[in-house]
Amino acid sequence: NDSIDSAILPNSLKDVVISMKSGTFPLTIKDLDINGEDLMALGLKGKVIGDVISEVLSAIYEERLKNDKADIIEYVKNR
């Protein structure tokens, strides 16, 4: 059942689930509008790439960043 109607789920969690299902938020790293090659082009290497991808995902989920390539590149450059 795709319904998220539940008396025990807080509305904030329901809102996040609805946003994720609607495509507002990336569900996986592959859904990001940036990839490791883009980050390498910015001079990042190794483990830092994974760390930055995790940071970008968190920023998107916290609505501090849109899943837009230009926005993400600007965010990474200024972090």
Side-chain angles (χ1 to χ4, degrees):
N1 187 353
D2 280 352
S3 176
I4 60 165
D5 292 329
S6 170
I8 61 170
L9 287 177
N11 286 335
S12 58
L13 181 56
K14 290 178 188 177
D15 292 344
V16 169
V17 171
I18 290 167
S19 294
M20 291 179 86
K21 289 175 75 174
S22 71
T24 303
F25 294 109
L27 295 177
T28 69
I29 290 170
K30 291 180 182 180
D31 295 328
L32 284 176
D33 204 18
I34 196 168
N35 60 40
E37 290 180 10
D38 297 317
L39 295 176
M40 285 187 278
L42 295 174
L44 302 178
K45 298 179 183 174
K47 182 182 180 304
V48 173
I49 291 172
D51 293 344
V52 169
I53 287 174
S54 294
E55 183 181 327
V56 165
L57 274 173
S58 293
I60 291 170
Y61 292 148
E62 293 169 6
E63 298 183 336
R64 295 183 289 120
L65 180 64
K66 291 187 296 184
N67 187 22
D68 173 79
K69 187 172 186 170
D71 289 347
I72 295 170
I73 288 172
E74 190 65 27
Y75 175 85
V76 171
K77 285 181 177 179
N78 293 313
R79 60 182 275 287

